[in-house]
Amino acid sequence: MRNSDKNNINFIKKVDYVLFFLLILFAIIGTLSYQIHLINNIDIKYKKYDKKIDKLLLLNSGFNNFLLNKRISDNYDSISAKIKQFDALLNDLNEKQFDNLFNKNIKETIYSIHSNFSKKEILLERFKSNNALSIYSLNYLIDLVTHIKIEQDIEKNFLKIINNSIYDLLRLFLNQSSDVQILDEEINSIKFLNKQIKNDKLDLFNTNLMFAKKKIIYANKIKKEAFKIKMNENLELLLFQIDKKFKIVRKKEVALIYFLFIVIFIITIGAVYIYLKSLKIKKDLISLRYAVENSDDSIVITDINSNIVYTNEAFTKVTGYTREEALGKNPNILKSGKMSNDFYKEMHNHLSKGEKWVGEFINKNKNGDLYYERASITPMFTNAKLTGYLAIKLNITDYIKEQERVKFLAYSDPLTSLGNRRMMKKIILEELENIETSKKQLYVFLWI
Amino acid sequence: MKIIIYFVLLLSILYSETITPIPLHVKDVNLKKVKLGKELFFDVNLSKNNQVSCASCHIIEAGGDDNLKVPFAINGEKRTINTPTVLNSRYNFVQFWDGRAKDLQEQAAGPIDNPAEMGSDFTKLIEKLNATSYKKKFKKIYDDGISKDNITNAIAEYEKTLITPNAPFDKYLRGDINAISKDAKKGYKLFKSKGCIICHNGVNIGGNLYAKFGEFKETKSPSLGRYDVTKNELDKYYFKVPTLRNIEKTAPYLHDGRLDTLKETVKFMLNYQLAKTVTKNEINNIVEFLKSLNGEILNIEK
């Protein structure tokens, strides 16, 4: 019973190693697939941000385009929609919280984009209002000029001034000339002219001219201010920072994946090497086992508590006990009782010192028959630790019996089976020896 | 050369079509939210005294506003701003006359906890609604149940469906040249040539920029407009240009409701905003055009 427990423990130990190995392998493969998943996520995230920032850049260039070209033939729905879209995209970057991959630099850039956008949005709205009025005034002036030309009888020189004023205003509107002075001179001339002829339309024209000038100059100022906001640079910087950060993170993850691959590779190589080696050991063991199994000597292996863990066929032949019967039992089942306790004591003394013991036993087999055997018992050590005992025993019953017969033949008369001369000599010599030690007297009676 | 091209372009802007028709369908909404939002929109329990709902001031059949000069106040406060219409408000670039809400959801929160309007406190309101069947209804749509965000989100979702497609003028824009009268066509021409279209353009015929009230002639206004939000001197008297859709139904007019009729308003606007004189006949034609902007209220449940 105890023995099977031991076996179980050994088995569990073995399983533990295999399990441990498998667990490590699973853990590594798990980490690997998680890493691959992470990298995939990083790529998706990066693409998402890249796309968003690209859109923001596009929208921003749309704003700049609007400021430059003034979208005079379009309605304001599209620019309003673009502003809303920009706002929504920007909020997406930090709606609830920043992406955990964003570092301080990236966050700062996003904050500065936010603050720049609020500035730009205000300017864009002002520009929309002013631009609408600028366009209206220009239209109104052109309209008025046609009326003035048709209805009024005005000198050609003055008409030229009026035409020039519109031309200069248009140049100002298109930002082709910043020479406001000429325009002011023209306005003054028209004012002066109007004082002379007192024409309602001309008066209206002049008022509108000044109004338009004011609006256009203001719109140009807004435009200038809006272009001072480095939104494009901000967005490019953000793109660069995110690209850099994600590349670094990705590199780290990829390096880890390579490392894990290498670990798996090494483990695999190791496993293959160990397997091949174990194959060789197994082969050796099989031959050894074959040798042991088929040995004429009976071989018994016990654990440290002297429980039999292995017997070979010769053992069964000699003792009559099958392996199944012997396993787990103490070898003292073979004790015949013919040996003194001192004998066993001496043997145990040897063994407990870790020494090999050699001697002869008179043992009893399963049927109760006595037999002689010459045995050598060796303590087995693994890594300097006692793991059990190995007994190799040779049945010498026939040899002993033969020896006794030879002895008998040598000391007796073949005809009468009585002791012969040689016998007498042996006995007398023995007795003489005894006398020397015991100082007794010896008497010999000879009858021939 | 560029100047000449611009000259032509400038002239052409007054004759180009910068007004676009309202889409015939609303597809970008969650119908469950719309249903819930509609219920909330008409529910007087959202107010402190259980007597006022969103629909009290935004009467959908009456042009989406209250047809009062300025709205009544439940706390007796003196109001100064005319109620804007809820119809087609999704097409406005910002909400409120001074643009203080960037979208409908932000707007929806405004009147609910305004002491003069519905006077509710959101924390108490959420408690109140949690004791009703709303709790279940919200939970079905929103994981976090009733919250300020979710109340306003649902209302905004409903308001997104409050559009008025198929106005005769929209039909005209879509190619049905007989959809509007001859006078209205003349009015449209005048609307463009007089310059109204400079500010009143796009799908909502307005609602896509701020403009100064009294651009050419100074006029008194109790409200300072956008200045109230930004406190920037440059924004004084700037208001969101209102939509002209269904304008016939949303009298009285202007941000303070100072004018009762469209004729007066057209005259006032041309005078103060565009410095233009206009004949009675021209006014009649423009008003005729404005009347062609009445659309049909979209029935989303169909």
Side-chain angles (χ1 to χ4, degrees), chain A residues 76 125-138 140 207-208 210-216 218-219 222, chain B residues 195 198-200 209-221 233-241 254-255 258 267-276:
Chain A
Y76 278 161
E125 290 305 341
R126 293 220 174 102
F127 186 82
K128 271 162 71 182
S129 308
N130 271 281
N131 191 45
L133 260 298
S134 304
I135 293 170
Y136 170 71
S137 301
L138 279 166
Y140 195 12
T207 323
N208 256 289
M210 285 191 288
F211 179 81
K213 192 194 89 181
K214 205 174 93 190
K215 286 284 155 192
I216 289 169
Y218 184 46
I222 294 170
Chain B
I198 291 284
C199 291
H200 292 281
L209 79 157
Y210 297 110
K212 191 176 177 184
F213 186 67
E215 186 64 72
F216 282 85
K217 271 193 215 168
E218 295 277 326
T219 172
K220 276 189 286 174
S221 162
E233 209 53 43
L234 292 167
D235 291 328
K236 246 180 193 170
Y237 301 117
Y238 271 83
F239 292 90
K240 178 189 72 187
V241 174
L254 304 187
H255 70 268
R258 65 174 72 180
K267 197 177 166 189
F268 178 92
M269 289 306 278
L270 280 164
N271 203 347
Y272 280 83
Q273 297 301 108
L274 300 170
K276 276 195 176 148

Side-chain angles (χ1 to χ4, degrees), chain B:
Chain B
M1 192 61 202
K2 204 180 170 192
I3 297 258
I4 295 167
I5 293 170
Y6 259 85
F7 196 82
V8 175
L9 275 173
L10 269 172
L11 278 174
S12 68
I13 182 181
L14 295 187
Y15 301 98
S16 64
E17 305 293 348
T18 52
I19 298 174
T20 46
I22 289 180
L24 298 174
H25 307 287
V26 174
K27 282 173 183 158
D28 58 345
V29 290
N30 178 335
L31 286 177
K32 281 179 196 162
K33 287 185 186 177
V34 169
K35 209 179 153 203
L36 179 64
K38 187 175 181 179
E39 203 178 334
L40 290 165
F41 190 86
F42 287 95
D43 195 338
V44 290
N45 289 318
L46 259 57
S47 66
K48 190 183 176 185
N49 61 7
N50 296 332
Q51 283 173 19
V52 186
S53 74
C54 303
S56 306
C57 291
H58 297 287
I59 305 154
I60 289 166
E61 294 74 24
D65 70 342
D66 54 5
N67 296 335
L68 297 169
K69 187 176 179 213
V70 289
F72 64 88
I74 60 169
N75 61 353
E77 192 183 293
K78 192 171 175 282
R79 312 300 304 279
T80 54
I81 289 281
N82 182 256
T83 306
T85 176
V86 70
L87 298 177
N88 304 309
S89 54
R90 65 172 302 176
Y91 299 120
N92 291 336
F93 78 130
V94 288
Q95 304 299 333
F96 292 119
W97 281 96
D98 54 13
R100 64 180 182 273
K102 70 171 186 186
D103 54 31
L104 285 174
Q105 184 172 0
E106 231 179 274
Q107 190 279 332
I112 295 176
D113 64 1
N114 184 335
E117 299 189 32
M118 290 162 86
S120 279
D121 173 275
F122 265 104
T123 328
K124 283 181 192 158
L125 177 63
I126 289 164
E127 251 173 62
K128 188 166 143 189
L129 294 183
N130 262 326
T132 66
S133 60
Y134 275 121
K135 189 175 182 171
K136 236 183 189 174
K137 287 172 189 164
F138 270 86
K139 204 79 196 162
K140 261 186 202 165
I141 303 170
Y142 302 99
D143 289 337
D144 52 345
I146 302 180
S147 70
K148 182 179 175 181
D149 262 6
N150 296 344
I151 293 170
T152 52
N153 180 272
I155 293 174
E157 201 75 358
Y158 168 60
E159 288 173 343
K160 274 189 198 168
T161 69
L162 295 176
I163 62 168
T164 62
N166 270 327
F169 182 68
D170 277 359
K171 285 182 187 161
Y172 170 76
L173 285 180
R174 285 203 166 97
D176 180 1
I177 52 164
N178 294 321
I180 59 172
S181 67
K182 249 187 191 169
D183 284 350
K185 278 179 207 166
K186 272 187 208 160
Y188 177 42
K189 226 173 180 180
L190 284 164
F191 187 81
K192 292 198 278 189
S193 66
K194 291 283 178 190
C196 313
I197 198 155
I198 291 284
C199 291
H200 292 281
N201 57 42
V203 66
N204 224 4
I205 320 178
N208 58 17
L209 79 157
Y210 297 110
K212 191 176 177 184
F213 186 67
E215 186 64 72
F216 282 85
K217 271 193 215 168
E218 295 277 326
T219 172
K220 276 189 286 174
S221 162
S223 167
L224 299 178
R226 186 113 188 94
Y227 174 83
D228 290 336
V229 182
T230 64
K231 301 291 168 206
N232 187 323
E233 209 53 43
L234 292 167
D235 291 328
K236 246 180 193 170
Y237 301 117
Y238 271 83
F239 292 90
K240 178 189 72 187
V241 174
T243 173
L244 295 185
R245 293 208 173 263
N246 309 300
I247 193 75
E248 190 192 1
K249 296 177 182 172
T250 60
Y253 301 108
L254 304 187
H255 70 268
D256 48 9
R258 65 174 72 180
L259 299 172
D260 289 328
T261 66
L262 272 178
K263 281 181 190 171
E264 285 173 283
T265 313
V266 168
K267 197 177 166 189
F268 178 92
M269 289 306 278
L270 280 164
N271 203 347
Y272 280 83
Q273 297 301 108
L274 300 170
K276 276 195 176 148
T277 49
V278 63
T279 65
K280 255 187 187 167
N281 207 19
E282 282 174 332
I283 290 175
N284 284 340
N285 287 341
I286 291 175
V287 167
E288 211 46 47
F289 160 69
L290 292 177
K291 285 179 181 171
S292 77
L293 298 174
N294 291 343
E296 300 160 4
I297 292 162
L298 182 85
N299 190 352
I300 191 88
E301 277 140 23
K302 239 188 256 173

